[in-house]
């Protein structure tokens, strides 16, 4: 009897998961404000932090498998220096630095607005760690706003991976964010990612809720 009861409970929980995902999407999309950070290749981790070094997890992030590391780097640009820029894990195949336009003004670089991973033709910068320095020839971008979601969220919101949508923000500085990329993957968790400039302009903070109001052109 105990085994049969356990199987019934498991079946009920599994059956409820799609409904829970639907309810989550109906309530809106939580905001994740992305401060300046860097993703590093294995080669650059060793140069900056020493041979054989591996990243040390500080805390898990909302997206599965991603984490903020204890390690930080210093950025050296033509006009300024920024210390304590957080490294995010896991290790990437190439190094990508994500900063805001305001950060770019301080450093003396002009980061192009790009979807993550599209670093070709972007400016470089000097990275300094406790064991060495790296001169990037490219890799500095201003990450374009986007929404992470699972398939259940996408079905509820009637979007597919690669769609461009418009997001509605309420509040005293309410408005809309257009040209928001939809990214769908089984490991993603529902979250609207914007940088600090965008968040400050709309007075948004981590965990605030926005809504999807229309699907745009790809």
């Amino acid at each position: 009897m105990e085994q049969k009861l356990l199987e019934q409970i498991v079946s009920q929980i599994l059956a409820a998961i799609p409904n829970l995902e639907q309810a989550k999407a109906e309530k809106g999309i939580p905001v994740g404000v992305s401060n300046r950070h860097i993703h590093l290749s294995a080669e650059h981790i060793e140069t900056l932090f020493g041979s054989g070094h591996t990243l040390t997890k500080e805390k898990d992030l909302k997206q599965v498998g991603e984490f903020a590391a204890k390690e930080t780097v210093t950025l050296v640009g033509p006009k300024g220096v920024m210390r304590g820029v957080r490294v995010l894990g896991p290790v990437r195949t190439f190094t990508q630095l994500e900063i805001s336009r305001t950060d770019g003004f301080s450093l003396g670089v002009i980061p192009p607005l790009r979807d993550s991973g599209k670093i070709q033709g972007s400016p470089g910068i000097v990275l300094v760690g406790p064991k060495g320095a790296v001169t990037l020839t490219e890799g500095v971008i201003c990450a374009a706003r986007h929404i992470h979601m699972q398939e259940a969220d996408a079905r509820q919101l009637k979007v597919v991976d690669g769609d461009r949508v418009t997001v509605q923000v309420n509040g005293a500085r309410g408005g809309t964010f257009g040209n928001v990329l939809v990214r769908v993957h089984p490991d993603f968790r529902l979250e609207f990612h914007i940088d600090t400039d965008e968040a400050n302009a709309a007075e948004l903070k981590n965990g605030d809720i926005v809504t999807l109001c229309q699907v745009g052109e790809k």
Side-chain angles (χ1 to χ4, degrees), residues 29-44:
I29 303 168
V31 172
V33 180
S34 183
N35 198 0
R36 67 183 76 98
H37 62 271
I38 190 166
H39 304 276
L40 292 172
S41 67
E43 176 187 359
H44 289 164

Side-chain angles (χ1 to χ4, degrees), residues 29-32 62-63 146-149 189-193:
I29 303 168
V31 172
K62 187 170 183 178
Q63 301 307 314
H146 56 277
I147 304 173
H148 291 277
M149 64 179 71
R189 297 294 179 264
L190 188 63
E191 194 169 38
F192 173 47
H193 281 187

Side-chain angles (χ1 to χ4, degrees), residues 18 21-22 26 45 54 79 89 94 100 112 116 122 138 148 152 177 193 197 202-204 212:
E21 292 297 330
Q22 177 174 325
E26 285 177 343
I45 288 174
T54 57
K79 293 184 178 180
F94 57 88
S100 68
S116 181
S122 61
E138 64 179 11
H148 291 277
F177 285 108
H193 281 187
D197 283 352
E203 291 193 355
L204 287 172
L212 188 151

Side-chain angles (χ1 to χ4, degrees), residues 48-49 72-76 82 126-134:
L48 295 166
F49 300 102
T72 63
V73 299
T74 296
L75 311 179
V76 181
M82 284 188 176
V126 176
L127 311 175
V128 180
K131 298 295 184 179
V134 171

Side-chain angles (χ1 to χ4, degrees):
M1 285 295 292
E2 290 184 359
Q3 180 62 31
K4 185 175 181 180
L5 179 60
L6 178 61
E7 290 174 354
Q8 289 176 342
I9 293 172
V10 170
S11 296
Q12 290 171 356
I13 292 172
L14 292 175
I17 288 175
N19 292 330
L20 290 173
E21 292 297 330
Q22 177 174 325
K24 180 173 65 175
E26 285 177 343
K27 291 180 180 178
I29 303 168
V31 172
V33 180
S34 183
N35 198 0
R36 67 183 76 98
H37 62 271
I38 190 166
H39 304 276
L40 292 172
S41 67
E43 176 187 359
H44 289 164
I45 288 174
E46 291 209 345
T47 301
L48 295 166
F49 300 102
S51 179
H53 186 88
T54 57
L55 296 178
T56 306
K57 185 186 293 187
E58 175 80 16
K59 66 175 182 179
D60 288 314
L61 301 179
K62 187 170 183 178
Q63 301 307 314
V64 176
E66 296 188 4
F67 61 91
K70 290 184 178 179
E71 290 81 1
T72 63
V73 299
T74 296
L75 311 179
V76 181
K79 293 184 178 180
V81 174
M82 284 188 176
R83 295 177 173 83
V85 175
R86 185 69 54 189
V87 178
L88 299 190
V91 178
R92 295 287 184 93
T93 56
F94 57 88
T95 293
Q96 175 177 290
L97 171 65
E98 299 178 30
I99 61 175
S100 68
R101 290 299 175 97
T102 299
D103 292 335
F105 296 147
S106 299
L107 291 166
V109 297
I110 303 175
L113 185 65
R114 298 282 183 82
D115 293 331
S116 181
K118 297 183 178 180
I119 64 171
Q120 293 76 14
S122 61
I125 203 165
V126 176
L127 311 175
V128 180
K131 298 295 184 179
V134 171
T135 300
L136 294 181
T137 57
E138 64 179 11
V140 183
I141 67 169
C142 181
R145 48 190 176 242
H146 56 277
I147 304 173
H148 291 277
M149 64 179 71
Q150 296 177 320
E151 286 91 341
D153 300 315
R155 287 193 298 270
Q156 172 60 25
L157 295 170
K158 299 179 180 179
V159 295
V160 297
D161 186 62
D163 274 346
R164 299 281 177 173
V165 300
T166 297
V167 166
Q168 177 69 44
V169 178
N170 296 316
R173 288 193 170 181
T176 58
F177 285 108
N179 199 32
V180 180
L181 175 66
V182 173
R183 300 179 61 193
V184 181
H185 189 275
D187 289 339
F188 286 164
R189 297 294 179 264
L190 188 63
E191 194 169 38
F192 173 47
H193 281 187
I194 53 175
D195 68 21
T196 52
D197 283 352
E198 294 171 314
N200 289 337
E203 291 193 355
L204 287 172
K205 62 183 184 300
N206 287 324
D208 284 348
I209 299 298
V210 297
T211 56
L212 188 151
C213 56
Q214 79 180 61
V215 178
E217 297 294 328
K218 289 187 181 180

